[in-house]
Amino acid sequence: MPHPDNDASINPSRNESIREIIDRVDPSRRRFMKGSLGAGMLAAFGGFSLDAFVGVARAAPAPAGGIGFGSIPPSLAPAMFDGVKVPAGYTPRILSSWGDPIGHLSGAPQLDPNVAQAEADQLKQDGMNHDGIHFFPFPAAGAGGVSNERGLLVTNHEYTDEGILHHELSPGTTPQTLARVRVSQAAHGISVKEVRKVAGAWTVVRPSPLARRISSNTPMMISGPAAGHPLMKTSHTDENGNAAGDANGTRVLGTVNNCAHGHTPWGTYLTCEENWNGNFGTTLAFTADANERRYGVSAAGFGYRWHEADPRWDVRKNPNEPNRFGWVVEIDPWNPNSMPMKRTALGRFKHEGAWVVVGADNSVAVYLGDDERNEYIYKFVCSNKYNPANRAANRNLLDSGTLYVAKLNSDMTGRWIALVWNQNGLTPANGFADQGEVVIKARMAGDRVGATMMDRPEWIAVHPVTREAYITLTNNNRRGSNPASANAADGSTAAASARPAVDAANPRPINDYGHILRWRETGGNVSATTFEWDIFVECGDRLDPDPNHKGNIMGDDLGAPDGLWFDKDGRLWIQTDQTGDGLGPWANIGSNTMSCADPSTREVRRFLTSPPNCEVTGVVTTPDGRAMFVNIQHPGEDWSGGFTQKSTWPDNGNNGPTTLSTSPVIKPRASTVVITRDDGGVIGAA
């Protein structure tokens, strides 16, 4: 989903300059890694080598089984392949696509691509634009106690292409109606599907008593410090003129812009609300207040136009409703009648994901990224410990604990600053009346305590053995640009509008290609308040003459890293989200990709290329690693004049038959692909 630029003026910078960082670097902490970027950055910064900031946290071992496939070539324009390609010896097949029935007991029709969607149908079908995904295995006899051939596949649906959804070649020109809004709201959210391997092939089980769709209108509980807060209470008139809202501030309808995800060791799914601000708007006079400005709420939104027919989404008719979005939502996939819980203790921002790690002493931490330029990395540490013998005892672990935000120092150390009311300047005098207001205004709390502004913090992956954490920093076209500025301590800066100077953790100006950073908690303790960090890789195009664009990848180039995941053997899988058209800065990189990296050597090999103008996002395997599920989002995006202008995937047959293979191909559809090895082996291993 796009991240709109906002060039509004902001307050003067308080960030360190690169020269201040140079002066303060402790030479005793510099550790160099062969192959890291040297000459280009040396020239760019007048003799200062950013190699000094690579290698400190390198602790992960080589993956068990190594990386056993040969990398594939990029899919380049103009002959870009309209499908998914993987190395020889592997096969990708379509499992499920937007509009496919997910398996409700009452049944559902298959998508008719020739007409507009209907709400009732969409609520029983896969939603639009698949994103985060996780496989929950069924119990089974034998080693491990879990099945490798049957499970629940839970998938996020991030946003809608309104033209394709409503079958309109000129979206935005048709008068808005409540019926149209309800279809769009139904296409957001989460799908829970039962999947099974039958006669060697994976399929969706239809019907299944566990099949479930969660949408923008599914009732949910609000829990944690923001529950019942005055800023969470609503009162408005609904579309029929009746009084509506949540006077108690403890119930909310739905979830939107579900991007990345997480899962807990007690068997629940965490879905994360990212660009929720774009679903709101107003038809009334609008001047943003500080909270709306800091979170990017605007009169127009992102073009959904829900506010034109559904007053709940009008920020002037219902000004507190935006405060009820931007949270991590916990879902029990095993109980289709359970009510999802918005866990407010984890803070409100544009959540890219929520990655849970359990320490050696059963302490629980959750790592969180805020996906917008110049935003922050967070950690939540639960007050109570994980109880592996009692699932019910863990059910509300995420409601009590300490939320932290990261400060990355120039000497490659860092600290977690507590976002606790009445500490670190989070006081009534500075606009925080209580802990509820701290989590509701988490971005502003991060501003106040001086957290490090990052280049779009997205997915986080935690090594299965060392608990070393990696994060993708996708890009930032405002980093190092003029005039220099930073997020103001008083929280008044408009979302994504600052122009921070380069710093140790974000070392490239106009960071178009992004990088991956990693850290290791002090003592390996997930509850620690200090850590060491380094830059794992700077992404880029080695053929680009601009030294800031070359990167330092050892292996296959990639840019705009987004999805990130460790498999059970310690292979790091990296997915990308750039334009995907193979044009301009992407001419040598081509379509979006998924690559595999060795965390011990930093070698990167390209494993998957994708259809034009899509995003590769979301990856998980069965417990034995022999089946991999990957999501392909918005194939053929940015079409004009015809839905299939840029892609006809997946119904073109390039990755096997689909539910619509016998129908005219008129709409591209986001899909889940299942990848297996032809010899039945572990994905990625030698």
Side-chain angles (χ1 to χ4, degrees):
M1 193 63 180
H3 297 263
D5 200 342
N6 186 333
D7 291 315
S9 62
I10 40 77
N11 290 347
S13 172
R14 296 189 301 117
N15 278 12
E16 297 173 289
S17 71
I18 190 66
R19 291 300 170 192
E20 289 172 320
I21 291 169
I22 294 169
D23 292 340
R24 297 200 309 105
V25 168
D26 178 0
S28 69
R29 296 193 58 81
R30 297 185 182 183
R31 305 181 191 179
F32 293 81
M33 181 182 291
K34 291 181 180 179
S36 59
L37 187 62
M41 296 310 297
L42 193 67
F45 292 113
F48 176 61
S49 173
L50 289 175
D51 288 350
F53 300 113
V54 180
V56 164
R58 183 169 51 138
I67 300 177
F69 61 87
S71 61
I72 65 173
S75 182
L76 302 176
M80 191 174 288
F81 179 65
D82 193 11
V84 170
K85 281 192 174 181
V86 292
Y90 291 82
T91 300
R93 296 180 179 88
I94 306 299
L95 177 68
S96 185
S97 305
W98 166 57
D100 288 353
I102 66 169
H104 284 81
L105 293 177
S106 58
Q110 174 63 51
L111 170 78
D112 183 347
N114 299 287
V115 300
Q117 268 285 59
E119 179 191 12
D121 296 342
Q122 183 62 84
L123 287 173
K124 294 183 177 181
Q125 300 166 335
D126 255 341
M128 277 195 126
N129 289 321
H130 304 32
D131 206 301
I133 187 172
H134 189 69
F135 180 86
F136 292 88
F138 273 71
V146 294
S147 175
N148 292 298
E149 297 189 349
R150 185 186 181 196
L152 296 181
L153 199 63
V154 187
T155 305
N156 284 348
H157 302 292
E158 185 182 5
Y159 74 101
T160 54
D161 182 316
E162 294 289 285
I164 290 178
L165 181 70
H166 299 303
H167 202 67
E168 296 171 351
L169 292 177
S170 300
T173 61
T174 302
Q176 188 63 292
T177 66
L178 185 61
R180 287 163 45 87
V181 170
R182 292 288 187 252
V183 174
S184 183
Q185 292 171 343
H188 279 70
I190 300 95
S191 292
V192 180
K193 298 185 290 289
E194 182 181 344
V195 295
R196 196 164 191 171
K197 187 177 180 182
V198 179
W202 283 90
T203 185
V204 176
V205 176
R206 304 183 180 97
S208 169
L210 295 171
R212 184 182 188 185
R213 272 300 318 279
I214 294 169
S215 77
S216 305
N217 288 303
T218 300
M220 301 184 175
M221 290 291 295
I222 299 169
S223 67
H229 195 278
L231 292 174
M232 300 290 278
K233 298 177 180 180
T234 61
S235 177
H236 66 281
T237 301
D238 68 17
E239 63 275 5
N240 297 315
N242 300 316
D246 171 27
N248 295 320
T250 58
R251 296 279 184 114
V252 65
L253 291 179
T255 181
V256 296
N257 258 273
N258 304 90
C259 195
H261 69 297
H263 64 96
T264 69
W266 50 93
T268 59
Y269 183 76
L270 304 177
T271 187
C272 300
E273 299 174 335
E274 190 197 14
N275 289 315
W276 51 270
N277 61 307
N279 295 79
F280 288 92
T282 186
T283 58
L284 303 176
F286 180 80
T287 300
D289 63 25
N291 184 12
E292 293 166 336
R293 181 176 169 86
R294 187 65 184 85
Y295 282 93
V297 176
S298 67
F302 288 176
Y304 292 108
R305 300 170 57 208
W306 291 359
H307 61 280
E308 294 179 19
D310 186 346
R312 185 162 73 98
W313 300 89
D314 189 309
V315 296
R316 282 299 164 263
K317 295 177 181 178
N318 198 9
N320 276 356
E321 191 70 13
N323 297 334
R324 294 146 66 84
F325 292 85
W327 305 103
V328 173
V329 185
E330 186 173 13
I331 299 165
D332 185 351
W334 299 103
N335 182 358
N337 297 315
S338 61
M339 185 173 288
M341 307 287 288
K342 294 203 174 186
R343 302 293 187 181
T344 66
L346 278 63
R348 171 177 166 264
F349 38 89
K350 293 187 178 182
H351 283 276
E352 184 63 32
W355 286 270
V356 178
V357 57
V358 177
D361 63 350
N362 283 333
S363 295
V364 179
V366 187
Y367 293 124
L368 309 150
D370 184 354
D371 182 11
E372 195 156 38
R373 291 170 306 198
N374 312 321
E375 293 305 335
Y376 307 128
I377 300 171
Y378 298 81
K379 178 173 79 167
F380 178 78
V381 178
C382 298
S383 296
N384 298 318
K385 293 185 178 182
Y386 167 57
N387 185 343
N390 185 351
R391 184 176 190 247
N394 305 308
R395 194 64 180 93
N396 294 311
L397 273 182
L398 301 180
D399 279 343
S400 178
T402 303
L403 182 65
Y404 297 90
V405 69
K407 174 71 173 179
L408 285 80
N409 302 317
S410 58
D411 65 354
M412 301 173 72
T413 64
R415 62 188 178 98
W416 295 107
I417 305 173
L419 299 182
V420 175
W421 182 65
N422 255 347
Q423 296 181 20
N424 300 316
L426 304 179
T427 63
N430 289 326
F432 301 95
D434 47 36
Q435 186 62 23
E437 194 157 0
V438 169
V439 296
I440 291 168
K441 299 179 179 177
R443 280 187 170 182
M444 301 159 96
D447 297 340
R448 173 59 62 181
V449 303
T452 300
M453 301 163 63
M454 305 298 291
D455 290 351
R456 283 187 60 195
E458 295 221 35
W459 291 55
I460 299 170
V462 178
H463 192 277
V465 175
T466 68
R467 300 187 184 90
E468 185 180 53
Y470 291 62
I471 186 167
T472 50
L473 300 163
T474 297
N475 52 39
N476 188 348
N477 62 6
R478 297 175 78 86
R479 172 74 62 178
S481 59
N482 292 315
S485 57
N487 292 336
D490 65 2
S492 62
T493 305
S497 66
R499 298 179 182 273
V502 293
D503 59 29
N506 304 274
R508 289 190 290 182
I510 318 298
N511 185 12
D512 292 330
Y513 288 95
H515 56 293
I516 300 174
L517 183 141
R518 60 185 171 181
W519 69 87
R520 188 175 180 86
E521 303 282 11
T522 300
N525 179 6
V526 302
S527 303
T529 57
T530 58
F531 57 91
E532 284 190 322
W533 65 267
D534 74 339
I535 294 175
F536 178 65
V537 67
E538 292 174 355
C539 303
D541 175 3
R542 286 171 297 178
L543 299 179
D544 194 307
D546 186 337
N548 288 320
H549 289 167
K550 287 184 180 298
N552 64 354
I553 293 176
M554 294 192 295
D556 296 318
D557 286 345
L558 61 90
D562 190 338
L564 200 65
W565 180 71
F566 270 109
D567 66 23
K568 65 183 181 64
D569 295 325
R571 281 174 287 270
L572 181 64
W573 297 88
I574 307 167
Q575 300 172 313
T576 66
D577 179 18
Q578 35 96 348
T579 58
D581 57 10
L583 302 177
W586 310 106
N588 299 317
I589 293 177
S591 70
N592 277 296
T593 63
M594 183 170 72
S595 299
C596 186
D598 182 331
S600 68
T601 65
R602 298 196 305 134
E603 180 191 6
V604 176
R605 297 187 193 177
R606 188 182 300 107
F607 178 80
L608 177 151
T609 60
S610 63
N613 292 74
C614 80
E615 173 187 352
V616 182
T617 178
V619 55
V620 69
T621 65
T622 50
D624 63 3
R626 297 175 189 273
M628 173 179 277
F629 304 94
V630 178
N631 280 336
I632 302 296
Q633 188 184 105
H634 62 69
E637 189 182 45
D638 296 327
W639 55 270
S640 62
F643 303 132
T644 60
Q645 178 195 25
K646 297 183 178 180
S647 175
T648 60
W649 189 86
D651 299 305
N652 55 21
N654 283 340
N655 294 121
T658 71
T659 50
L660 295 183
S661 292
T662 59
S663 301
V665 178
I666 65 168
K667 289 179 180 176
R669 301 191 290 154
S671 302
T672 299
V673 175
V674 58
I675 301 170
T676 53
R677 273 175 60 157
D678 298 345
D679 64 4
V682 173
I683 305 295

